[in-house]
Amino acid sequence: MLVQVPKNVSKIELWSYTILMPIKIFDQCFIAYNFSHFHAVVLKGFCGGRMFDCRDVAFTVGEGEDHDIPIGIDKALEKMQRGEHCILHIGTQYGFGEAGKHKFGIEPNTELIYEVTLKSFEKAKESWEMDTKEKLEQAAIVKEKGTVYFKEGKYPQAVIQYGKIVSWLEMEYGLSERESKASESLLLAAFLNLAMCYLKLRDYAKAIEYCNKALALDQANEKGLYRRGEARLLMNEFELARCDFQKVLDVNPQNKAAKSQITVCQKKTKEHNDRDRKIYANMFKKFAERDAKVCTMPVKLSSTH
């Protein structure tokens, strides 16, 4: 039995397959994501007509996984007002994903329904309310949180943590030399880690975007070049990928993985070219056969009057 949605209750559907795709609330789409709000909620979770979770809980948005709360609720809370009651229809990637949740008896890749009431929230400081020292301190903290999530395979949660570093430091100006070095180091790590997260999430265009940001800070960065090469290879951009892996070898001639990937690129390029030649050869053969049939058809002469 599915949860019935009362007329005065909002309905939020989370079916998107990319981490920062729009969340659908009726006919409106939103992409904004604010970080580090502390929410107190009442939630009930349903699966196949069974209620598997019912509790009051308080947590920081982006860190719900630490409380056995799926990423979809994190994202939906950003769109809710104090006192609002919502029914959340959560797709597999925004639920407990491939791991499922043994604690609740949830199988892998299971769609969920949550009933959520936002009791209260405390809004964290905006970027402009923090001084540089505080931003650097907080960036170091969330970098470690992101790394923990990444090692646990919780890539959407890691993206949120690394994204905080970018939101705080990417547009920070007027820094001292020491602050500038610390900021650049944290940003470089965030860009590289975001690229790796998006590779794991199979969002290769995003992975390339963050590799480019990393390489803008350090054009000879071995990890940035290699990860961009990986993303391009997976997008079938074989020549661009080969160029990236070659640049890796220019930086570090001992990188065996890059040497191996160049061989893969060459093999894939040959397979692609051979396939194209075969397609065009068959195409031209069919055209030639058709033209030959036209030429051998008897011509009927009409009598003149």
Side-chain angles (χ1 to χ4, degrees):
M1 182 180 70
L2 293 180
V3 176
Q4 297 299 312
V5 184
K7 290 182 179 179
N8 63 338
V9 174
S10 304
K11 178 182 177 183
I12 302 178
E13 296 181 354
L14 294 145
W15 301 112
S16 305
Y17 288 94
T18 305
I19 296 308
L20 292 179
M21 287 292 285
I23 295 175
K24 186 177 181 183
I25 306 184
F26 295 107
D27 295 323
Q28 300 180 13
C29 286
F30 301 84
I31 301 178
Y33 200 102
N34 295 319
F35 297 118
S36 297
H37 290 59
F38 188 78
H39 287 93
V41 303
V42 179
L43 60 81
K44 296 178 182 178
F46 299 86
C47 179
R50 172 180 66 90
M51 185 167 70
F52 62 84
D53 193 8
C54 180
R55 56 186 159 135
D56 287 24
V57 61
F59 65 98
T60 299
V61 171
E63 299 175 17
E65 180 65 33
D66 296 342
H67 301 270
D68 300 310
I69 295 171
I71 188 72
I73 291 181
D74 275 314
K75 299 179 80 62
L77 283 170
E78 289 299 324
K79 312 305 165 201
M80 293 175 63
Q81 302 297 320
R82 189 192 310 272
E84 187 173 1
H85 181 200
C86 285
I87 302 296
L88 312 180
H89 291 247
I90 301 180
T92 57
Q93 185 166 338
Y94 284 106
F96 293 117
E98 295 180 359
K101 183 62 70 172
H102 178 73
K103 175 180 178 179
F104 296 142
I106 303 297
E107 296 293 325
N109 299 315
T110 301
E111 295 172 358
L112 306 171
I113 296 177
Y114 270 88
E115 187 175 343
V116 179
T117 302
L118 177 56
K119 293 170 60 179
S120 63
F121 67 88
E122 296 176 14
K123 191 173 181 181
K125 285 185 178 180
E126 300 287 353
S127 180
W128 57 268
E129 295 177 301
M130 302 165 65
D131 60 25
T132 300
K133 182 175 180 291
E134 187 175 0
K135 288 178 183 179
L136 291 172
E137 289 172 351
Q138 290 301 310
I141 291 170
V142 299
K143 177 175 175 285
E144 295 306 314
K145 284 185 181 178
T147 301
V148 170
Y149 282 133
F150 183 88
K151 288 179 178 178
E152 293 175 351
K154 299 170 182 174
Y155 307 120
Q157 290 86 347
V159 165
I160 290 172
Q161 299 303 323
Y162 295 134
K164 294 177 186 179
I165 299 173
V166 177
S167 70
W168 290 333
L169 298 178
E170 189 173 26
M171 303 302 290
E172 189 77 353
Y173 300 109
L175 307 182
S176 68
E177 184 177 349
R178 185 177 62 81
E179 289 172 337
S180 182
K181 285 182 179 179
S183 175
E184 187 172 307
S185 175
L186 286 163
L187 275 173
L188 181 60
F191 292 147
L192 291 171
N193 292 338
L194 281 164
M196 180 57 85
C197 287
Y198 283 116
L199 278 171
K200 296 291 187 180
L201 292 165
R202 300 179 184 177
D203 188 342
Y204 305 127
K206 275 284 187 183
I208 290 172
E209 176 187 336
Y210 282 105
C211 285
N212 287 340
K213 286 178 177 287
L215 292 167
L217 292 177
D218 177 7
Q219 63 181 359
N221 186 276
E222 189 174 348
K223 289 180 180 178
L225 290 167
Y226 188 88
R227 290 171 190 175
R228 189 172 68 180
E230 282 189 297
R232 285 173 165 173
L233 178 56
L234 290 164
M235 292 180 74
N236 295 332
E237 297 177 348
F238 306 125
E239 184 55 30
L240 289 173
R242 188 195 65 77
C243 289
D244 278 336
F245 293 129
Q246 184 57 56
K247 288 177 182 177
V248 172
L249 291 179
D250 292 342
V251 174
N252 177 13
Q254 306 306 314
N255 191 314
K256 294 180 181 179
K259 291 179 183 178
S260 176
Q261 292 287 47
I262 287 175
T263 302
V264 172
C265 289
Q266 292 169 338
K267 181 182 177 183
K268 292 284 188 182
T269 300
K270 184 178 184 302
E271 289 174 355
H272 180 76
N273 291 340
D274 288 346
R275 187 164 55 250
D276 281 353
R277 275 194 292 269
K278 192 174 291 185
I279 290 170
Y280 288 123
N282 289 336
M283 191 184 302
F284 291 138
K285 182 180 178 182
K286 288 178 182 178
F287 287 153
E289 289 172 351
R290 187 189 64 183
D291 292 344
K293 284 181 181 178
V294 171
C295 291
T296 56
M297 286 177 64
V299 179
K300 185 177 180 180
L301 299 174
S302 59
S303 56
T304 57
H305 298 280

